[in-house]
Amino acid sequence: MTQTPEAARPLRILIAKPGLDGHDRGAKVIARALRDAGMEVIYTGLRQTPEMIAAAALQEDVDAVGLSILSGAHNTLLPRVVELLRQNGMGDVPVFAGGIIPDEDVPGLKAAGIAEVFGPGTPLSEIVQFIREHTPPRHAVGHQSSIINHQS
Amino acid sequence: MSRPSKRELARLITGIENGDPNALRTLREWYGRAGRAHIVGVTGAPGSGKSTLVAALTRLARSRGQTVAIVSVDPSSPFTGGAILGDRIRMRELFEDEGVFIRSMANRGALGGIARSTADIAVALDAAGYDLVFIETVGAGQAEVEVARVAETIVVVEAPGLGDDIQAIKAGILEIADILVVNKADREGAERTMSALQAALDLSTPSAGTAGHHGPGALRRVEAPAANAAGWRIPVLKTIATEGTGVEAVLDAIARHRQYLDQGAGAQRRAQRLEYEVTIRLRDLLLKRAMQQIEPARYRALIEACIARELHPQDAAQALLNALSREADRTPVE
Ligand code: B12
Ligand SMILES: Nc1nc2c(ncn2[C@@H]2O[C@H](COP(=O)(O)OP(=O)(O)OP(=O)(O)O)[C@@H](O)[C@H]2O)c(=O)[nH]1
Ligand SMILES: [Mg+2]
């Protein structure tokens, strides 16, 4: 009888709200959706600077960073987070975003290293799917195998 | 070895959490360097202010020149295995401090208020050179006392208005307390909670203390530590963590408790903690080995018999054990 090695483990995702707006419903909806998809979500609350977000991502060793922004300041704040992550040696960690971001700003953000932008109305399953597909392959999603998990 | 970078430390912790063999190898190499840090458990009812208090204590400890690591544990969903780890919300002003390392972790289904890997993660943070390591448990009731397995000093945080005052004073968790804090002293009823706690303390005669500095579920009950029998009076302190009021007295009490431990009481407790630690790891290894050796068909048959109520689970377990020992008699030990 063999034991499955601990290959499967939950993804760790940071959900942060950069900037000064107090709209946190979207961030909370996303955090819950990712939790319900079996991920471990580190939620840091409102009013984060890019420096705070990068520091949290580093210490928490997350697999991806999700940013929620409805203030209009996305064009400056989001690329800054990407840049700081790169400086921390976390350039391979995907950064994705959501909130109120006009379509015409999306190409610029993608050029700056944002993996994807999800506006209002995006099905949550699509977001979950995207994260699963875009996190580095070293990580698999799933439950830890229990010790009583019989496998032969 | 020089101090690891935060990136290295963070990745090591991930590896430990996931049982990655390389990380566990590194942890063993680091083990000899651990033992310097003061590991402080912070536990108490959900929402009592543990994270806020830890943040305030950390700010103060930093101003006293200490470096601080924080491990905050939140529950995993039993249905999906996912978790929302929100303790950082109360620690925002610490994120960028070079001398602070914060790690959120999910309990991944472990009972007892911490995760299975929390003890090893505390070792890693200790070895990495942090002076103080705070372990914030899952919001705890009476059974979540596993943090005593990891920490040298236990701070139990209560708050007024979390239900009935006496109800809030849970036996199990009180027994592991070295320092009691009534947080939210700005709230109605703080005085009542203070005196209820004090009364509960006065009732529990220290020498009668089966105060187990070990969690439930040990295969063998390790000797109850002298706990707070000799020389340590459990202080009951009042704080308003959101304003920093009273936090100095808590940090002072933490430091005094360390001195108390260093003057002798600590050695015995450490021995008891490690005995427990070895015992539960042995239990896990034995179970793992047993599960590898047990015939799956036989295992299923016995479970089926239990389902059909032809066999009591105790007898099923005994039958499996008997089969194992017969096996062991036949094959020499590797
Ligand atoms: C509710 C609301 C409020 C509430 C916020 C309550 C709260 N705690 O969140 C209150 C009343 C407080 C409020 C205040 C203000 N608001 Co307001 N508010 C809204 C409103 C109507 C809905 C936002 C919302 O909660 N939607 C529901 C959530 C679930 O959707 P969502 O956040 O978009 O999230 C979805 C997606 O965007 C995406 N997503 C979001 N984040 C993320 C993150 C990741 C990682 C991913 C993958 C996906 C993702 O997934 C989510 C689910 O589909 C919007 C208008 C609108 N239709 O969007 C204005 C709006 C956001 N507000 C606006 C403004 C200007 C304000 C105020 C400045 C003043 C005002 N005019 O009212 C204040 C500022 C408050 C502050 N402190 O910052 C503007 C912003 C303009 C801009 N960006 O250019 C908007 C767009 C209204 C408008 N058309 O003018 N607001
Ligand atoms: N009035 C008052 N509120 C406080 C005090 N300390 C903390 N709070 C608030 O109590 C709430 C819970 O605080 P946390 O620090 O998150 O409590 P916790 O014990 O860590 O909570 P869990 O980790 O969820 O169990 C927050 O809204 C805090 O702002 C205090 O001294 N007075
Ligand atoms: Mg907390």
Side-chain angles (χ1 to χ4, degrees):
Chain A
M1 201 174 284
T2 53
Q3 195 75 32
T4 16
E6 36 300 269
R9 61 88 162 180
L11 287 172
R12 289 172 64 83
I13 312 291
L14 179 67
I15 295 294
K17 272 204 55 66
L20 299 176
D21 72 290
H23 301 95
D24 60 0
R25 284 187 195 164
K28 287 177 172 167
V29 167
I30 298 301
R32 273 194 293 270
L34 300 186
R35 178 199 59 192
D36 294 343
M39 302 179 195
E40 292 179 353
V41 180
I42 295 110
Y43 180 60
T44 53
L46 293 169
R47 298 190 186 85
Q48 307 277 304
T49 63
E51 286 75 12
M52 290 167 75
I53 293 167
L58 177 82
Q59 293 167 36
E60 301 286 357
D61 189 29
V62 291
D63 299 297
V65 176
L67 304 173
S68 179
I69 183 159
L70 290 81
S71 69
H74 45 269
N75 285 333
T76 45
L77 293 175
L78 303 196
R80 178 81 183 132
V81 173
V82 174
E83 186 190 317
L84 289 168
L85 286 175
R86 283 185 184 146
Q87 285 175 21
N88 284 345
M90 297 182 80
D92 61 334
V93 173
V95 181
F96 54 102
I100 303 296
I101 298 175
D103 288 345
E104 61 263 32
D105 291 344
V106 172
L109 291 172
K110 286 194 172 173
I114 301 293
E116 192 52 270
V117 176
F118 299 95
T122 319
L124 295 171
S125 57
E126 195 177 301
I127 296 171
V128 168
Q129 186 67 21
F130 178 88
I131 295 171
R132 288 202 173 128
E133 281 167 10
H134 288 79
T135 40
R138 58 181 173 120
H139 306 309
V141 194
H143 300 272
Q144 285 209 306
S145 58
S146 116
I147 200 164
I148 310 292
N149 215 350
H150 264 254
Q151 227 114 43
S152 30
Chain B
M1 194 197 107
S2 61
R3 269 195 169 212
S5 71
K6 284 190 172 176
R7 177 92 177 118
E8 285 171 298
L9 184 57
R11 301 192 92 155
L12 179 70
I13 291 173
T14 307
I16 295 171
E17 213 180 359
N18 294 324
D20 169 54
N22 288 325
L24 295 177
R25 201 153 35 240
T26 306
L27 177 71
R28 289 192 185 86
E29 284 162 21
W30 287 22
Y31 186 72
R33 281 188 291 124
R36 255 196 58 250
H38 187 186
I39 301 184
V40 179
V42 179
T43 187
S48 57
K50 297 178 292 296
S51 301
T52 312
L53 182 66
V54 165
L57 288 166
T58 300
R59 270 196 306 275
L60 188 62
R62 290 293 294 136
S63 76
R64 293 181 181 177
Q66 292 183 288
T67 56
V68 183
I70 301 168
V71 184
S72 283
V73 189
D74 274 324
S76 301
S77 156
F79 305 107
T80 68
I84 295 182
L85 313 176
D87 295 308
R88 266 184 180 265
I89 296 172
R90 317 284 169 217
M91 305 179 182
R92 41 181 300 121
E93 67 290 339
L94 302 170
F95 287 16
E96 291 175 73
D97 185 332
E98 252 322 296
V100 175
F101 189 99
I102 305 172
R103 182 68 175 225
S104 316
M105 65 186 300
N107 71 350
R108 297 195 179 172
L111 305 171
I114 57 175
R116 283 167 70 95
S117 58
T118 304
D120 279 339
I121 288 169
V123 167
L125 293 165
D126 179 346
Y130 289 94
D131 298 319
L132 254 177
V133 178
F134 286 112
I135 298 173
E136 181 193 343
T137 70
V138 171
Q142 32 201 328
E144 289 85 355
V145 294
E146 279 279 294
V147 67
R149 172 193 146 197
V150 186
E152 302 165 273
T153 300
I154 306 288
V155 180
V156 172
V157 185
E158 293 291 345
L162 294 177
D164 186 277
D165 276 352
I166 306 300
Q167 172 76 37
I169 298 153
K170 311 284 188 186
I173 211 168
L174 262 197
E175 280 175 19
I176 63 165
D178 298 304
I179 296 164
L180 280 168
V181 173
V182 176
N183 186 40
K184 306 196 185 184
D186 53 324
R187 292 262 182 94
E188 176 69 36
E191 283 308 328
R192 242 184 319 132
T193 308
M194 291 280 288
S195 42
L197 278 177
Q198 193 62 63
L201 272 186
D202 295 343
L203 270 179
S204 63
T205 44
S207 52
T210 41
H213 261 245
H214 45 80
L219 280 186
R220 190 161 78 79
R221 211 172 156 74
V222 283
E223 265 307 289
N228 300 309
W232 179 255
R233 284 204 55 195
I234 301 171
V236 184
L237 304 168
K238 218 166 34 172
T239 59
I240 306 172
T242 37
E243 292 162 20
T245 311
V247 173
E248 187 144 21
V250 178
L251 194 61
D252 288 343
I254 289 171
R256 259 188 294 116
H257 191 252
R258 172 66 183 240
Q259 279 172 13
Y260 159 78
L261 293 175
D262 286 347
Q263 282 157 12
Q268 193 197 352
R269 277 193 182 194
R270 192 169 311 122
Q272 281 159 350
R273 268 205 313 276
L274 287 170
E275 186 181 340
Y276 178 68
E277 191 70 19
V278 172
T279 310
I280 58 165
R281 282 167 199 258
L282 175 65
R283 178 192 62 191
D284 288 353
L285 288 174
L286 283 173
L287 182 58
K288 195 168 168 188
R289 177 192 279 181
M291 288 325 243
Q292 283 163 351
Q293 292 176 354
I294 286 167
E295 203 51 53
R298 172 117 177 95
Y299 180 84
R300 294 221 179 77
L302 286 165
I303 302 283
E304 286 301 327
C306 293
I307 295 171
R309 298 205 174 261
E310 289 158 6
L311 200 61
H312 187 278
Q314 178 70 29
D315 297 327
Q318 188 64 53
L320 289 169
L321 183 68
N322 292 346
L324 276 181
S325 21
R326 276 197 301 278
E327 187 65 26
D329 288 343
R330 258 180 279 129
T331 46
V333 185
E334 8 28 308

